């Protein structure tokens, strides 16, 4: 398999100085602290063509920021993103636009990502028309094809988003993404807002599309069961860092990192043979002031002195299985 997406040593920090209070204070020449959110901290990740990589972690771990950096919606503060083997910075402007089109994002809330005043045929058809993938004469057929692919009846093409169910709106988001002929879909909590039965339908749709179109997926979710079902490989993030990655069966059968073990311990107990791990105690620390050393040390049941000062490197434990913990050294 070839590398479709490569993220190399990417960090993303957000300065909060652009807030209203901070801007006002700045206008008055008052000194204010400049809090920085450390959303991503030296993250590296490779996604091969045709692979489904699940990214999990608690809210605020940086998984959505990582998705947005890969999709080009956010610029990394440091590091580089390569698409199809070439760093974005080395692409020409035209190549960047073409490469970005090939990576589409599907969001959690289809309602806020769809223009409420646009009919489905325009929501789905305008971008491929603009990019020359269809023309005005064949746009209706082109839109109908994308709608059928996403499991929507083309007879709905004249409807507005509010005239659809939540599941149908999510399918519109998928049809809109498919319409520009992507080869990578980044699904950011794409089924989290849906009823369980609709969730299953959308997940099956993603799997069918993978087979039919050879798509590559980055599947961001807090739901471990969904990730286990859909992924080939899983990346676990904590406070902006990758703490473990492994093939899906290995990660769920033999998690090496105490944080992954704790995440699995908090899952509903559907598997009687599941191993016992300690659950996570305490709150996730603020990304404004991440703890030094191992970010997980204030909550880890195995903390040692070195954990408080020394960042554990991501080390290979077996083929494709890496963990960032001093215990795994
Ligand atoms: Fe726990 Fe230390 Fe491992 Fe961090 S490095 S997960 S604190 S044992």
């Amino acid at each position: 398999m070839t590398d479709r997406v490569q993220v190399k040593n990417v960090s993303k920090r957000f300065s909060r100085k652009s807030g209203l209070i901070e801007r006002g204070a700045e206008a008055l020449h008052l000194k204010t602290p400049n809090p920085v959110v450390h959303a991503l901290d030296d993250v590296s990740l490779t996604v091969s063509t045709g692979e489904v990589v699940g990214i999990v972690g608690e809210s605020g771990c940086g998984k959505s920021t990582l998705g947005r950096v890969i999709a080009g919606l956010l610029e990394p503060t440091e590091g580089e993103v390569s698409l199809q083997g070439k760093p974005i910075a080395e692409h020409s402007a035209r190549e960047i636009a073409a490469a970005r089109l090939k990576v589409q994002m599907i969001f959690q809330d289809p309602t806020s990502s769809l223009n409420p005043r646009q009919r489905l045929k325009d929501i789905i058809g305008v971008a491929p028309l603009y990019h020359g993938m269809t023309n005005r004469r064949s746009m209706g057929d082109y839109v109908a094809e994308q709608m059928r692919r996403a499991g929507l009846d083309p007879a709905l093409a004249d409807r507005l988003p509010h005239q659809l169910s939540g599941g149908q709106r999510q399918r519109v988001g998928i049809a809109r993404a498919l319409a520009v002929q992507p080869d990578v879909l980044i699904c950011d909590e794409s089924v989290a807002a849906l009823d369980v039965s609709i969730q299953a339908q959308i997940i099956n749709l993603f799997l069918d599309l993978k087979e039919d179109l050879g798509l590559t997926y980055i599947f961001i979710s807090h739901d471990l069961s969904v990730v286990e079902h859909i992924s080939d490989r899983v990346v676990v993030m904590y406070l902006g860092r990758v703490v473990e990655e492994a093939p899906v069966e290995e990660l769920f059968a033999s998690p090496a990192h105490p944080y992954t073990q704790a995440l699995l311990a908090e899952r509903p107990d559907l598997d009687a043979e599941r191993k016992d791990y300690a659950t996570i105690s305490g709150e996730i620390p603020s990304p404004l002031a991440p703890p030094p050393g191992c970010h997980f040390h204030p909550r880890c049941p195995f903390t040692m002195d070195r954990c408080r000062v020394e960042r554990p490197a991501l080390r290979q434990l077996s083929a494709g299985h890496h963990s960032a913990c001093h215990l795994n050294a």
Side-chain angles (χ1 to χ4, degrees):
M1 282 200 281
T2 53
D3 294 348
R4 182 59 190 80
V5 175
Q6 202 177 31
V7 173
K8 219 165 153 188
N9 306 111
V10 160
S11 295
K12 178 67 187 174
R13 294 183 285 277
F14 297 99
S15 166
R16 291 184 55 200
K17 209 161 189 176
S18 52
L20 203 60
I21 294 171
E22 288 84 0
R23 283 207 304 272
E26 212 169 51
L28 295 170
H29 304 289
L30 297 175
K31 275 209 160 174
T32 56
N34 185 15
V36 173
V37 175
H38 299 260
L40 294 176
D41 181 4
D42 197 20
V43 170
S44 295
L45 170 73
T46 300
V47 183
S48 302
T49 301
E51 201 180 17
V52 181
V53 173
I55 302 182
V56 299
E58 292 166 290
S59 164
C61 70
K63 54 192 190 300
S64 290
T65 303
L66 179 59
R68 282 167 166 74
V69 166
I70 295 170
L73 303 178
L74 290 172
E75 285 293 321
T77 311
E78 282 155 20
E80 67 181 22
V81 176
S82 297
L83 299 175
Q84 286 175 319
K86 190 170 172 184
I88 283 289
E90 291 174 18
H91 286 264
S92 66
R94 201 185 169 133
E95 284 173 335
I96 291 174
R100 292 287 185 221
L101 213 53
K102 290 286 178 190
V103 180
Q104 291 293 307
M105 206 152 175
I106 297 172
F107 298 95
Q108 174 176 357
D109 181 4
T111 310
S112 62
S113 67
L114 302 177
N115 183 337
R117 285 187 288 276
Q118 255 188 336
R119 300 197 179 275
L120 303 198
K121 61 185 179 190
D122 295 319
I123 290 173
I124 299 165
V126 165
L129 184 67
Y130 176 79
H131 292 288
M133 294 160 181
T134 184
N135 54 42
R136 291 225 168 263
R137 205 152 47 88
S138 48
M139 185 172 150
D141 290 341
Y142 190 85
V143 168
E145 187 189 340
Q146 310 313 318
M147 291 181 75
R148 271 193 288 272
R149 271 204 178 125
L152 283 166
D153 183 348
L156 300 174
D158 281 315
R159 298 261 178 103
L160 293 164
H162 78 268
Q163 296 173 305
L164 305 175
S165 68
Q168 285 174 321
R169 278 196 288 270
Q170 192 54 292
R171 289 179 190 273
V172 174
I174 295 167
R176 179 179 58 181
L178 295 177
V180 292
Q181 302 170 15
D183 46 37
V184 179
L185 288 186
I186 301 176
C187 304
D188 187 4
E189 299 284 6
S190 305
V191 296
L194 304 173
D195 292 345
V196 174
S197 63
I198 310 292
Q199 268 190 12
Q201 291 174 18
I202 299 290
I203 289 166
N204 287 336
L205 173 64
F206 284 139
L207 292 171
D208 290 346
L209 291 170
K210 173 175 150 52
E211 288 306 308
D212 296 346
L213 304 175
L215 294 174
T216 300
Y217 285 92
I218 297 173
F219 202 87
I220 298 164
S221 178
H222 68 281
D223 187 330
L224 294 171
S225 302
V226 169
V227 167
E228 185 177 16
H229 180 69
I230 197 167
S231 307
D232 300 312
R233 193 156 57 87
V234 181
V235 173
V236 183
M237 292 188 68
Y238 186 77
L239 265 186
R241 293 177 179 170
V242 172
V243 296
E244 186 164 7
E245 61 174 312
V248 65
E249 297 84 9
E250 193 167 332
L251 188 110
F252 281 87
S254 315
H257 195 283
Y259 177 63
T260 313
Q261 294 171 356
L263 272 184
L264 295 188
E266 296 202 330
R267 282 213 299 176
D269 192 2
L270 301 176
D271 180 358
E273 290 182 19
R274 209 176 67 192
K275 294 175 189 136
D276 272 340
Y277 299 116
T279 53
I280 311 177
S281 59
E283 293 290 310
I284 188 165
S286 168
L288 284 168
C294 171
H295 284 347
F296 190 52
H297 83 251
R299 304 169 81 191
C300 179
F302 310 108
T303 303
M304 307 168 278
D305 285 347
R306 74 186 281 211
C307 305
R308 296 186 181 88
V309 291
E310 189 184 328
R311 175 181 179 162
L314 201 59
R315 289 192 180 84
Q316 177 160 315
L317 307 180
S318 57
H321 192 167
H322 299 79
S323 172
C325 172
H326 294 310
L327 290 174
N328 303 143

